[in-house]
Amino acid sequence: MDETYDVIVLGTGLKECVLSGMMSVSGKKVLHMDRNKYYGAEIASLSPLEDCFAHFKREAPAKEQYGRGRDWNVDLIPKFLMANGQLVKLLIHTGVTRYLEFKSVDGSYVYKGGKIFKVPADEKEALATSLMGLFEKRRFKNFLQFAQEFDIDDPKTYKNVDAKTTTAADVYKKFGLDGNTQDFTGHAIALYRDDDYMSQPCGELLRRMKLYSESLARYGKSPYLYPLYGLGELPQGFARLSAIYSGTFMLDRPGTTIEFEEGRVVGVKDNEGNLAKCKQVICDPSYSPEKCKPVGKVVRAICILDHPIPNTKDAQSVQIIIPANQVNRKKDIYISVVSYAHNVAAKGWYLAIVSTTAETPDPEKELDVGLQLLGPIHEKFVSVSELYEPVDDGKTSQVYISKSYDATSHFETTCTDILEMYERITGEPFDFSSLKTAQLESED
Amino acid sequence: MAGRQGAQRPNGATQGKICQFKLVLLGESAVGKSSLVLRFVKGQFHEYQESTIGAAFLTQTVCLDDTTVKFEIWDTAGQERYHSLAPMYYRGAQAAIVVFDITNQDTFARAKGWVKELQRQASPNIVIALAGNKADLAQKRMVEYEEAQAYAEENSLLFIETSAKTAMNVNEIFLAIAKKLPKNEGGGPTQSRQSGVKLNNEQTQQSEGGCCK
C-alpha cells in the first residue's frame, strides 16, 4: 500500500475496470481497490442468491425454495451488448473475450396498444408481422433500405436527405411513415428513450439504425448478446487484463479517502491511515460524492419468475421495449429477461428487470405496465437509484469520475463515457490498435 | 528443449479426439506457479522470474494413447496476493494445480486453504493436483513428503513434488492430471455448463456442448 502509483482506481465497475486495463496495458503502474468483497460495484452480479436478498435488506428465502443459491448470479443493472457495438469491439481488441462466453438474446419485442409484438429479425418475420399494415410495411421497407445504404462519405446515397440538417421527423415524413412506425423505429430499433431526437438532425438516427441491423446480422435472432454467468463477468474480465499487465488488486477495502494538496490529488488513504501516492485517480461517483451532481433517478424492479414471459414463444431471454408514447410517458420502459440458460438462475427460473427513468414522486408505480406483462412474480426487489455525473472534467484535480449507469438497455453510452474519460486522462483519443499487443500475447 | 516427452502439437502424427480442459493454478505468491507453467509450456526457467506479467493464458497439449488433451492454463496474474481472485477464475475449471514451496511451511498451510476454496467455489468434479515445488532445494526442506502425501490422500488429490528449475516431474504432473480427467464424448464436468458463443473478429460459430469436439 505504501507505494507510489501512476493511477489509483477506486471501484470495480465496468468503466473502472476497462480503464484500469487500458492504463496497465499502456505501462502505467496501477493500484485498483474496491470497498466491497466482490467485483463489479454497481454492475455486479450478486451470488449466491442469499446475497441478493441481503443486498435488498430482505430475509433469506427458505432453503432450496429457489434451488441452489450458488446457481444464481443476479444483475443489479439490466443491460445487453449490441453484437456490433463498441463494447464487443473493446472485448475483441483487448483479448478479454477469451475469458467469456455469450449467448444471443432470443428476441426483441415492442409494446403497442396493450400487446407485445416481436421486432422482426428477418424478411420472413417482417412480412408476417401484424405490427403494421401492408402498405405501411412497404414504406417502412424502403426506409430501412435507405438507412442501410446511407453512407455519410458517399453523397450518392443521400437521396436529398442531409444528415446534418434534415431532422428525424422530416425524414420520417419524406418516407411517409405513420406515428406507430415512427415509434417503433425510433424506440425499438434506434433505441432512443424519448422523442427529443425527432427535432435533431437525422444522421444519428440513421447511424443507430445501422448499428441495430449490423448487430442483428451477426447472430441472427436479435442484435443483443449477454454473457453467461451475468454482467458481472465483464468487469472481472477487464480486471484480469489489468492484473496480467501488473495492476495490483485489493478488494474489501472500505473507508478509503482521496487526499489532495492545493486542489490536486496526491494519493489515497485507507481506513488505517496508510497513504498510497499517485498522480491520478479514476473512480465511480460513490468514491467522490462531493465532486458529483445528481442528474435524475432510475427505478428498477428485479423479479424472480418460474416461467418465461407470456407471448414470447417461451423465449429464455428477451428484451421488451414499451415506447413512452404508448403509455403517456416521456421516457420508455424497458424489460430485460434472462434465465437459467445463461447460468444466472437455478434450473427452471427466470430473472426479469423492469426499469425506467423516474418521472413522478411514486416511481415504483410507473413500472406497473411493465410488471403486468410478466405474469405471476415470485419475488420482487425494487430500487430507486439517483444517477450522478461529475461536476467538472477532472483535469484540475486529476480525479476522473465516471457517470452512473443510465437507463439505456445496452452499453453504448457506457463505452462513450469510457472513451471520453480515457481521452481526458491521457490527453489522447483511444487508439484501438494500441491494444493489438494484448491480443497477440500468449497464443501458443 | 528436450524432456518434453508427452507434449505434442495436435497437428502432429496423433489422430483421435482432442479434449480441451481449463486448468487453474493456485498457491501463495512466489511458490513458483508461473515457473511451473513456463517450464511445461515453453521448456524455460528463469532464476528471477518476475511476478506474473503479460502471459497469463497459455495452452499446451499432452498426448495420451488415442487422445490429445489440450490444457487451457490460467495463471493468477497476481490477483491472489490480496485475496482478490475473481469468481471467473474458478468458473468451469476442470483441473487445478495447487502449488506450495517445500522450503516454506506457511505456503503449505495456505495451499490447504486454496484446496478448501476450490472445494467451495469450483465444480465438484474438479481434478486437483498438489505440487510441492522447489524440490531441488531439498536440503532446506520444511514440509515433509509424508506430511503432504497424507494430506493429499485424505482429500483425494494427486500429489507430486516438482522442480520448475530442473524440470523434475513437471511434465509428469500435467500428464497425471490428463490421465485422470474424464474424456468420454460430451461427458465430464462440462456437461452441466451452458455453452455459448465466443466472440471474434470473424463471423462466429456456435460451439455446442461437451468437452470433446
Side-chain angles (χ1 to χ4, degrees), chain B residues 93-152:
Chain B
Q94 291 128 312
I97 303 182
V98 178
V99 187
F100 68 94
D101 171 354
I102 64 156
T103 70
N104 183 334
Q105 184 71 42
D106 283 351
T107 66
F108 181 56
R110 278 297 300 149
K112 292 179 182 172
W114 288 115
V115 171
K116 274 210 189 89
E117 189 71 6
L118 280 168
Q119 287 162 346
R120 199 173 66 86
Q121 294 241 32
S123 140
N125 305 318
I126 190 167
V127 173
I128 305 174
L130 183 66
N133 195 34
K134 307 198 184 176
D136 52 289
L137 300 176
Q139 75 281 6
K140 292 193 202 159
R141 177 189 288 279
M142 298 299 284
V143 182
E144 290 309 320
Y145 183 90
E146 291 72 22
E147 185 189 358
Q149 170 80 4
Y151 168 76

Short mmCIF file of all heavy atoms in Angstrom, two decimals, chain B residues 93-152:
data_model
loop_
_atom_site.label_atom_id
_atom_site.label_comp_id
_atom_site.label_asym_id
_atom_site.label_seq_id
_atom_site.Cartn_x
_atom_site.Cartn_y
_atom_site.Cartn_z
N ALA B 93 -13.47 -24.48 -14.36
CA ALA B 93 -12.15 -25.13 -14.29
C ALA B 93 -12.37 -26.61 -14.06
O ALA B 93 -13.10 -27.01 -13.17
CB ALA B 93 -11.32 -24.51 -13.18
N GLN B 94 -11.72 -27.44 -14.89
CA GLN B 94 -11.87 -28.89 -14.74
C GLN B 94 -10.67 -29.49 -14.01
O GLN B 94 -10.68 -30.64 -13.62
CB GLN B 94 -12.04 -29.54 -16.12
CG GLN B 94 -13.37 -29.16 -16.73
CD GLN B 94 -13.22 -28.62 -18.14
OE1 GLN B 94 -12.39 -27.75 -18.39
NE2 GLN B 94 -14.00 -29.13 -19.06
N ALA B 95 -9.61 -28.68 -13.91
CA ALA B 95 -8.42 -29.15 -13.20
C ALA B 95 -7.74 -27.98 -12.52
O ALA B 95 -7.87 -26.84 -12.95
CB ALA B 95 -7.45 -29.81 -14.19
N ALA B 96 -7.05 -28.30 -11.42
CA ALA B 96 -6.31 -27.25 -10.72
C ALA B 96 -5.01 -27.81 -10.19
O ALA B 96 -4.95 -28.99 -9.80
CB ALA B 96 -7.14 -26.71 -9.55
N ILE B 97 -3.96 -27.01 -10.23
CA ILE B 97 -2.72 -27.38 -9.54
C ILE B 97 -2.54 -26.38 -8.40
O ILE B 97 -2.47 -25.17 -8.63
CB ILE B 97 -1.49 -27.32 -10.48
CG1 ILE B 97 -1.70 -28.24 -11.68
CG2 ILE B 97 -0.23 -27.73 -9.71
CD1 ILE B 97 -0.51 -28.29 -12.63
N VAL B 98 -2.53 -26.91 -7.20
CA VAL B 98 -2.29 -26.07 -6.02
C VAL B 98 -0.81 -26.24 -5.67
O VAL B 98 -0.35 -27.36 -5.41
CB VAL B 98 -3.19 -26.48 -4.85
CG1 VAL B 98 -2.88 -25.62 -3.62
CG2 VAL B 98 -4.65 -26.35 -5.25
N VAL B 99 -0.09 -25.14 -5.69
CA VAL B 99 1.36 -25.21 -5.56
C VAL B 99 1.79 -24.69 -4.19
O VAL B 99 1.25 -23.70 -3.70
CB VAL B 99 2.05 -24.35 -6.66
CG1 VAL B 99 3.56 -24.55 -6.64
CG2 VAL B 99 1.49 -24.70 -8.04
N PHE B 100 2.75 -25.39 -3.56
CA PHE B 100 3.41 -24.82 -2.39
C PHE B 100 4.91 -25.00 -2.53
O PHE B 100 5.38 -25.69 -3.43
CB PHE B 100 2.87 -25.43 -1.08
CG PHE B 100 3.23 -26.88 -0.87
CD1 PHE B 100 4.36 -27.24 -0.14
CD2 PHE B 100 2.42 -27.89 -1.39
CE1 PHE B 100 4.69 -28.58 0.05
CE2 PHE B 100 2.75 -29.22 -1.20
CZ PHE B 100 3.89 -29.57 -0.48
N ASP B 101 5.64 -24.35 -1.66
CA ASP B 101 7.10 -24.37 -1.70
C ASP B 101 7.56 -25.27 -0.55
O ASP B 101 7.26 -24.99 0.61
CB ASP B 101 7.56 -22.90 -1.51
CG ASP B 101 9.05 -22.76 -1.31
OD1 ASP B 101 9.75 -23.80 -1.20
OD2 ASP B 101 9.51 -21.60 -1.26
N ILE B 102 8.27 -26.36 -0.87
CA ILE B 102 8.61 -27.34 0.18
C ILE B 102 9.56 -26.75 1.23
O ILE B 102 9.75 -27.32 2.29
CB ILE B 102 9.23 -28.65 -0.40
CG1 ILE B 102 10.57 -28.37 -1.09
CG2 ILE B 102 8.26 -29.37 -1.32
CD1 ILE B 102 11.47 -29.59 -1.16
N THR B 103 10.13 -25.58 0.96
CA THR B 103 11.04 -24.96 1.93
C THR B 103 10.31 -23.96 2.82
O THR B 103 10.94 -23.22 3.57
CB THR B 103 12.20 -24.23 1.22
OG1 THR B 103 11.68 -23.06 0.57
CG2 THR B 103 12.88 -25.12 0.20
N ASN B 104 8.98 -23.90 2.68
CA ASN B 104 8.23 -22.88 3.42
C ASN B 104 6.92 -23.45 3.94
O ASN B 104 5.98 -23.68 3.17
CB ASN B 104 8.00 -21.69 2.48
CG ASN B 104 7.29 -20.54 3.16
OD1 ASN B 104 6.56 -20.75 4.14
ND2 ASN B 104 7.50 -19.34 2.64
N GLN B 105 6.87 -23.70 5.24
CA GLN B 105 5.70 -24.34 5.86
C GLN B 105 4.42 -23.51 5.67
O GLN B 105 3.34 -24.04 5.46
CB GLN B 105 5.98 -24.57 7.36
CG GLN B 105 4.90 -25.32 8.13
CD GLN B 105 4.83 -26.82 7.77
OE1 GLN B 105 5.84 -27.48 7.62
NE2 GLN B 105 3.62 -27.33 7.63
N ASP B 106 4.56 -22.19 5.72
CA ASP B 106 3.39 -21.31 5.56
C ASP B 106 2.69 -21.54 4.23
O ASP B 106 1.47 -21.51 4.14
CB ASP B 106 3.82 -19.83 5.61
CG ASP B 106 4.08 -19.39 7.03
OD1 ASP B 106 3.77 -20.18 7.95
OD2 ASP B 106 4.61 -18.28 7.20
N THR B 107 3.49 -21.75 3.19
CA THR B 107 2.88 -21.91 1.86
C THR B 107 2.08 -23.20 1.79
O THR B 107 1.11 -23.31 1.05
CB THR B 107 3.93 -21.90 0.73
OG1 THR B 107 4.77 -23.05 0.83
CG2 THR B 107 4.76 -20.61 0.75
N PHE B 108 2.50 -24.21 2.60
CA PHE B 108 1.75 -25.47 2.64
C PHE B 108 0.41 -25.25 3.36
O PHE B 108 -0.64 -25.72 2.91
CB PHE B 108 2.58 -26.54 3.34
CG PHE B 108 1.89 -27.88 3.42
CD1 PHE B 108 1.43 -28.51 2.26
CD2 PHE B 108 1.70 -28.52 4.64
CE1 PHE B 108 0.79 -29.74 2.33
CE2 PHE B 108 1.05 -29.74 4.72
CZ PHE B 108 0.60 -30.35 3.56
N ALA B 109 0.46 -24.49 4.44
CA ALA B 109 -0.78 -24.17 5.16
C ALA B 109 -1.74 -23.42 4.24
O ALA B 109 -2.94 -23.69 4.20
CB ALA B 109 -0.46 -23.33 6.40
N ARG B 110 -1.20 -22.48 3.47
CA ARG B 110 -2.03 -21.72 2.55
C ARG B 110 -2.57 -22.60 1.42
O ARG B 110 -3.69 -22.42 0.95
CB ARG B 110 -1.24 -20.55 1.96
CG ARG B 110 -1.17 -19.34 2.86
CD ARG B 110 -2.54 -18.73 3.13
NE ARG B 110 -3.22 -18.31 1.91
CZ ARG B 110 -4.54 -18.31 1.75
NH1 ARG B 110 -5.32 -18.71 2.71
NH2 ARG B 110 -5.07 -17.91 0.61
N ALA B 111 -1.76 -23.57 1.00
CA ALA B 111 -2.21 -24.49 -0.05
C ALA B 111 -3.47 -25.22 0.40
O ALA B 111 -4.42 -25.39 -0.37
CB ALA B 111 -1.11 -25.48 -0.40
N LYS B 112 -3.48 -25.62 1.69
CA LYS B 112 -4.67 -26.28 2.21
C LYS B 112 -5.88 -25.33 2.12
O LYS B 112 -6.99 -25.77 1.84
CB LYS B 112 -4.45 -26.69 3.67
CG LYS B 112 -3.43 -27.79 3.86
CD LYS B 112 -3.27 -28.09 5.34
CE LYS B 112 -2.21 -29.16 5.56
NZ LYS B 112 -1.93 -29.33 7.01
N GLY B 113 -5.63 -24.06 2.36
CA GLY B 113 -6.70 -23.05 2.23
C GLY B 113 -7.22 -22.98 0.81
O GLY B 113 -8.43 -22.89 0.58
N TRP B 114 -6.31 -23.03 -0.16
CA TRP B 114 -6.73 -22.97 -1.57
C TRP B 114 -7.54 -24.21 -1.94
O TRP B 114 -8.50 -24.13 -2.71
CB TRP B 114 -5.53 -22.83 -2.50
CG TRP B 114 -4.89 -21.47 -2.43
CD1 TRP B 114 -3.63 -21.18 -1.98
CD2 TRP B 114 -5.46 -20.22 -2.83
NE1 TRP B 114 -3.40 -19.83 -2.06
CE2 TRP B 114 -4.50 -19.22 -2.58
CE3 TRP B 114 -6.70 -19.85 -3.35
CZ2 TRP B 114 -4.73 -17.87 -2.84
CZ3 TRP B 114 -6.94 -18.52 -3.62
CH2 TRP B 114 -5.95 -17.55 -3.36
N VAL B 115 -7.16 -25.35 -1.40
CA VAL B 115 -7.92 -26.57 -1.70
C VAL B 115 -9.35 -26.41 -1.18
O VAL B 115 -10.32 -26.73 -1.88
CB VAL B 115 -7.24 -27.82 -1.07
CG1 VAL B 115 -8.15 -29.04 -1.18
CG2 VAL B 115 -5.90 -28.09 -1.73
N LYS B 116 -9.48 -25.87 0.03
CA LYS B 116 -10.82 -25.61 0.59
C LYS B 116 -11.60 -24.66 -0.31
O LYS B 116 -12.78 -24.85 -0.57
CB LYS B 116 -10.69 -24.97 1.98
CG LYS B 116 -10.54 -25.95 3.10
CD LYS B 116 -11.16 -25.37 4.40
CE LYS B 116 -10.80 -26.26 5.58
NZ LYS B 116 -9.52 -25.85 6.21
N GLU B 117 -10.92 -23.61 -0.75
CA GLU B 117 -11.55 -22.61 -1.62
C GLU B 117 -12.06 -23.28 -2.91
O GLU B 117 -13.16 -22.99 -3.38
CB GLU B 117 -10.51 -21.54 -1.95
CG GLU B 117 -11.03 -20.31 -2.67
CD GLU B 117 -11.89 -19.42 -1.79
OE1 GLU B 117 -11.99 -19.68 -0.57
OE2 GLU B 117 -12.48 -18.48 -2.35
N LEU B 118 -11.26 -24.18 -3.46
CA LEU B 118 -11.67 -24.90 -4.67
C LEU B 118 -12.89 -25.78 -4.40
O LEU B 118 -13.81 -25.83 -5.21
CB LEU B 118 -10.53 -25.77 -5.19
CG LEU B 118 -9.44 -25.05 -5.99
CD1 LEU B 118 -8.23 -25.97 -6.16
CD2 LEU B 118 -9.98 -24.64 -7.36
N GLN B 119 -12.87 -26.44 -3.24
CA GLN B 119 -14.00 -27.31 -2.91
C GLN B 119 -15.28 -26.49 -2.75
O GLN B 119 -16.37 -26.95 -3.03
CB GLN B 119 -13.69 -28.13 -1.64
CG GLN B 119 -12.67 -29.23 -1.93
CD GLN B 119 -11.99 -29.78 -0.68
OE1 GLN B 119 -12.08 -29.18 0.40
NE2 GLN B 119 -11.32 -30.91 -0.82
N ARG B 120 -15.12 -25.22 -2.35
CA ARG B 120 -16.26 -24.35 -2.15
C ARG B 120 -16.73 -23.72 -3.47
O ARG B 120 -17.91 -23.67 -3.77
CB ARG B 120 -15.86 -23.24 -1.18
CG ARG B 120 -17.01 -22.50 -0.50
CD ARG B 120 -16.47 -21.55 0.55
NE ARG B 120 -15.68 -20.48 -0.01
CZ ARG B 120 -16.18 -19.34 -0.47
NH1 ARG B 120 -17.48 -19.13 -0.44
NH2 ARG B 120 -15.40 -18.41 -0.96
N GLN B 121 -15.77 -23.26 -4.27
CA GLN B 121 -16.10 -22.43 -5.43
C GLN B 121 -16.17 -23.17 -6.76
O GLN B 121 -16.87 -22.76 -7.67
CB GLN B 121 -15.04 -21.31 -5.60
CG GLN B 121 -15.03 -20.29 -4.49
CD GLN B 121 -15.34 -18.91 -5.03
OE1 GLN B 121 -16.08 -18.77 -6.00
NE2 GLN B 121 -14.78 -17.89 -4.42
N ALA B 122 -15.35 -24.23 -6.89
CA ALA B 122 -15.21 -24.84 -8.21
C ALA B 122 -16.20 -25.96 -8.41
O ALA B 122 -16.94 -26.33 -7.49
CB ALA B 122 -13.79 -25.32 -8.41
N SER B 123 -16.20 -26.50 -9.61
CA SER B 123 -17.07 -27.63 -9.94
C SER B 123 -16.73 -28.81 -9.04
O SER B 123 -15.57 -29.06 -8.73
CB SER B 123 -16.85 -27.99 -11.41
OG SER B 123 -16.85 -29.38 -11.56
N PRO B 124 -17.73 -29.56 -8.58
CA PRO B 124 -17.46 -30.67 -7.64
C PRO B 124 -16.59 -31.77 -8.25
O PRO B 124 -15.96 -32.51 -7.51
CB PRO B 124 -18.85 -31.19 -7.29
CG PRO B 124 -19.80 -30.55 -8.25
CD PRO B 124 -19.16 -29.34 -8.82
N ASN B 125 -16.54 -31.87 -9.58
CA ASN B 125 -15.75 -32.94 -10.21
C ASN B 125 -14.33 -32.53 -10.55
O ASN B 125 -13.62 -33.25 -11.23
CB ASN B 125 -16.43 -33.40 -11.50
CG ASN B 125 -17.85 -33.82 -11.25
OD1 ASN B 125 -18.13 -34.49 -10.27
ND2 ASN B 125 -18.76 -33.40 -12.13
N ILE B 126 -13.91 -31.36 -10.10
CA ILE B 126 -12.61 -30.85 -10.50
C ILE B 126 -11.48 -31.80 -10.04
O ILE B 126 -11.54 -32.39 -8.97
CB ILE B 126 -12.39 -29.43 -9.92
CG1 ILE B 126 -11.13 -28.78 -10.51
CG2 ILE B 126 -12.33 -29.46 -8.39
CD1 ILE B 126 -11.05 -27.28 -10.23
N VAL B 127 -10.50 -31.98 -10.91
CA VAL B 127 -9.32 -32.79 -10.57
C VAL B 127 -8.27 -31.86 -9.98
O VAL B 127 -7.85 -30.90 -10.62
CB VAL B 127 -8.75 -33.49 -11.83
CG1 VAL B 127 -7.44 -34.20 -11.51
CG2 VAL B 127 -9.78 -34.46 -12.41
N ILE B 128 -7.86 -32.13 -8.75
CA ILE B 128 -6.90 -31.25 -8.09
C ILE B 128 -5.58 -31.98 -7.87
O ILE B 128 -5.55 -33.11 -7.39
CB ILE B 128 -7.43 -30.77 -6.71
CG1 ILE B 128 -8.81 -30.10 -6.87
CG2 ILE B 128 -6.44 -29.79 -6.07
CD1 ILE B 128 -9.47 -29.71 -5.55
N ALA B 129 -4.49 -31.33 -8.28
CA ALA B 129 -3.16 -31.86 -8.00
C ALA B 129 -2.45 -30.91 -7.06
O ALA B 129 -2.56 -29.69 -7.18
CB ALA B 129 -2.37 -32.01 -9.30
N LEU B 130 -1.74 -31.49 -6.11
CA LEU B 130 -0.95 -30.70 -5.17
C LEU B 130 0.51 -30.83 -5.61
O LEU B 130 1.01 -31.94 -5.77
CB LEU B 130 -1.15 -31.26 -3.76
CG LEU B 130 -0.47 -30.56 -2.59
CD1 LEU B 130 -1.06 -29.15 -2.40
CD2 LEU B 130 -0.64 -31.38 -1.32
N ALA B 131 1.16 -29.69 -5.82
CA ALA B 131 2.56 -29.72 -6.26
C ALA B 131 3.45 -29.13 -5.17
O ALA B 131 3.29 -27.98 -4.79
CB ALA B 131 2.72 -28.93 -7.56
N GLY B 132 4.36 -29.95 -4.66
CA GLY B 132 5.38 -29.43 -3.73
C GLY B 132 6.57 -29.00 -4.56
O GLY B 132 7.40 -29.81 -4.96
N ASN B 133 6.61 -27.71 -4.84
CA ASN B 133 7.63 -27.22 -5.79
C ASN B 133 8.94 -26.88 -5.07
O ASN B 133 8.99 -26.84 -3.85
CB ASN B 133 7.07 -26.00 -6.53
CG ASN B 133 7.89 -25.66 -7.76
OD1 ASN B 133 8.42 -26.56 -8.43
ND2 ASN B 133 8.01 -24.37 -8.06
N LYS B 134 9.93 -26.60 -5.85
CA LYS B 134 11.30 -26.29 -5.39
C LYS B 134 11.96 -27.51 -4.76
O LYS B 134 12.72 -27.40 -3.79
CB LYS B 134 11.31 -25.09 -4.44
CG LYS B 134 10.62 -23.85 -5.03
CD LYS B 134 10.96 -22.57 -4.33
CE LYS B 134 10.13 -21.41 -4.94
NZ LYS B 134 10.33 -20.14 -4.27
N ALA B 135 11.65 -28.70 -5.33
CA ALA B 135 12.21 -29.95 -4.81
C ALA B 135 13.73 -29.98 -4.97
O ALA B 135 14.41 -30.78 -4.31
CB ALA B 135 11.58 -31.14 -5.53
N ASP B 136 14.27 -29.12 -5.82
CA ASP B 136 15.74 -29.05 -5.96
C ASP B 136 16.40 -28.46 -4.70
O ASP B 136 17.59 -28.57 -4.51
CB ASP B 136 16.10 -28.21 -7.18
CG ASP B 136 15.42 -26.85 -7.18
OD1 ASP B 136 14.18 -26.81 -7.38
OD2 ASP B 136 16.10 -25.85 -6.94
N LEU B 137 15.60 -27.84 -3.85
CA LEU B 137 16.14 -27.24 -2.62
C LEU B 137 15.86 -28.15 -1.42
O LEU B 137 15.54 -27.69 -0.32
CB LEU B 137 15.52 -25.86 -2.38
CG LEU B 137 15.75 -24.81 -3.47
CD1 LEU B 137 15.00 -23.53 -3.14
CD2 LEU B 137 17.24 -24.52 -3.63
N ALA B 138 15.96 -29.46 -1.63
CA ALA B 138 15.58 -30.44 -0.60
C ALA B 138 16.36 -30.25 0.70
O ALA B 138 15.86 -30.56 1.78
CB ALA B 138 15.77 -31.86 -1.12
N GLN B 139 17.57 -29.70 0.61
CA GLN B 139 18.35 -29.51 1.85
C GLN B 139 17.73 -28.45 2.76
O GLN B 139 18.01 -28.39 3.94
CB GLN B 139 19.83 -29.19 1.53
CG GLN B 139 20.13 -27.78 1.02
CD GLN B 139 19.79 -27.60 -0.47
OE1 GLN B 139 19.23 -28.49 -1.10
NE2 GLN B 139 20.13 -26.45 -1.03
N LYS B 140 16.86 -27.59 2.19
CA LYS B 140 16.18 -26.57 3.01
C LYS B 140 14.73 -26.95 3.30
O LYS B 140 13.91 -26.11 3.69
CB LYS B 140 16.18 -25.22 2.27
CG LYS B 140 17.53 -24.59 2.10
CD LYS B 140 17.34 -23.15 1.65
CE LYS B 140 18.59 -22.62 0.95
NZ LYS B 140 18.26 -21.47 0.11
N ARG B 141 14.41 -28.22 3.09
CA ARG B 141 13.04 -28.70 3.21
C ARG B 141 12.41 -28.39 4.57
O ARG B 141 13.01 -28.62 5.61
CB ARG B 141 13.03 -30.21 2.96
CG ARG B 141 11.68 -30.87 3.14
CD ARG B 141 11.79 -32.38 3.08
NE ARG B 141 12.07 -32.88 1.72
CZ ARG B 141 11.14 -33.04 0.79
NH1 ARG B 141 9.89 -32.72 1.05
NH2 ARG B 141 11.47 -33.50 -0.40
N MET B 142 11.19 -27.85 4.55
CA MET B 142 10.44 -27.60 5.79
C MET B 142 9.12 -28.37 5.81
O MET B 142 8.44 -28.43 6.83
CB MET B 142 10.14 -26.10 5.95
CG MET B 142 11.37 -25.21 6.07
SD MET B 142 12.38 -25.60 7.50
CE MET B 142 11.39 -24.88 8.79
N VAL B 143 8.72 -28.89 4.65
CA VAL B 143 7.49 -29.67 4.58
C VAL B 143 7.87 -31.10 4.21
O VAL B 143 8.41 -31.34 3.13
CB VAL B 143 6.50 -29.11 3.53
CG1 VAL B 143 5.21 -29.92 3.51
CG2 VAL B 143 6.22 -27.64 3.80
N GLU B 144 7.62 -32.05 5.12
CA GLU B 144 7.98 -33.44 4.86
C GLU B 144 7.09 -34.03 3.77
O GLU B 144 5.90 -33.75 3.71
CB GLU B 144 7.86 -34.28 6.13
CG GLU B 144 8.91 -33.95 7.19
CD GLU B 144 10.33 -33.96 6.64
OE1 GLU B 144 10.67 -34.84 5.82
OE2 GLU B 144 11.13 -33.06 7.02
N TYR B 145 7.72 -34.86 2.93
CA TYR B 145 6.99 -35.50 1.84
C TYR B 145 5.78 -36.26 2.39
O TYR B 145 4.67 -36.14 1.86
CB TYR B 145 7.93 -36.47 1.11
CG TYR B 145 7.28 -37.14 -0.09
CD1 TYR B 145 7.35 -36.56 -1.35
CD2 TYR B 145 6.59 -38.34 0.06
CE1 TYR B 145 6.75 -37.16 -2.44
CE2 TYR B 145 5.99 -38.95 -1.02
CZ TYR B 145 6.06 -38.36 -2.27
OH TYR B 145 5.45 -38.96 -3.34
N GLU B 146 6.00 -37.00 3.48
CA GLU B 146 4.94 -37.85 4.04
C GLU B 146 3.75 -37.02 4.52
O GLU B 146 2.61 -37.44 4.40
CB GLU B 146 5.48 -38.71 5.19
CG GLU B 146 6.47 -39.79 4.77
CD GLU B 146 7.84 -39.23 4.35
OE1 GLU B 146 8.18 -38.09 4.76
OE2 GLU B 146 8.55 -39.93 3.59
N GLU B 147 4.07 -35.87 5.07
CA GLU B 147 3.01 -34.99 5.60
C GLU B 147 2.08 -34.54 4.45
O GLU B 147 0.86 -34.62 4.55
CB GLU B 147 3.67 -33.78 6.27
CG GLU B 147 2.68 -32.85 6.97
CD GLU B 147 3.32 -31.56 7.44
OE1 GLU B 147 4.55 -31.39 7.27
OE2 GLU B 147 2.58 -30.70 7.96
N ALA B 148 2.70 -34.08 3.39
CA ALA B 148 1.93 -33.60 2.24
C ALA B 148 1.17 -34.75 1.58
O ALA B 148 0.01 -34.62 1.19
CB ALA B 148 2.84 -32.92 1.23
N GLN B 149 1.86 -35.91 1.48
CA GLN B 149 1.28 -37.10 0.88
C GLN B 149 0.02 -37.53 1.64
O GLN B 149 -1.01 -37.82 1.04
CB GLN B 149 2.34 -38.21 0.91
CG GLN B 149 1.85 -39.59 0.55
CD GLN B 149 1.74 -39.76 -0.97
OE1 GLN B 149 2.10 -38.86 -1.72
NE2 GLN B 149 1.21 -40.88 -1.41
N ALA B 150 0.12 -37.52 2.98
CA ALA B 150 -1.01 -37.93 3.80
C ALA B 150 -2.19 -36.97 3.62
O ALA B 150 -3.33 -37.39 3.48
CB ALA B 150 -0.60 -37.98 5.28
N TYR B 151 -1.87 -35.68 3.58
CA TYR B 151 -2.92 -34.68 3.38
C TYR B 151 -3.60 -34.89 2.02
O TYR B 151 -4.83 -34.84 1.91
CB TYR B 151 -2.35 -33.27 3.48
CG TYR B 151 -3.31 -32.21 3.01
CD1 TYR B 151 -4.38 -31.82 3.81
CD2 TYR B 151 -3.17 -31.62 1.75
CE1 TYR B 151 -5.30 -30.88 3.36
CE2 TYR B 151 -4.07 -30.68 1.30
CZ TYR B 151 -5.14 -30.32 2.10
OH TYR B 151 -6.04 -29.40 1.65
N ALA B 152 -2.79 -35.13 0.99
CA ALA B 152 -3.33 -35.32 -0.36
C ALA B 152 -4.26 -36.54 -0.40
O ALA B 152 -5.33 -36.49 -1.00
CB ALA B 152 -2.19 -35.47 -1.36
#
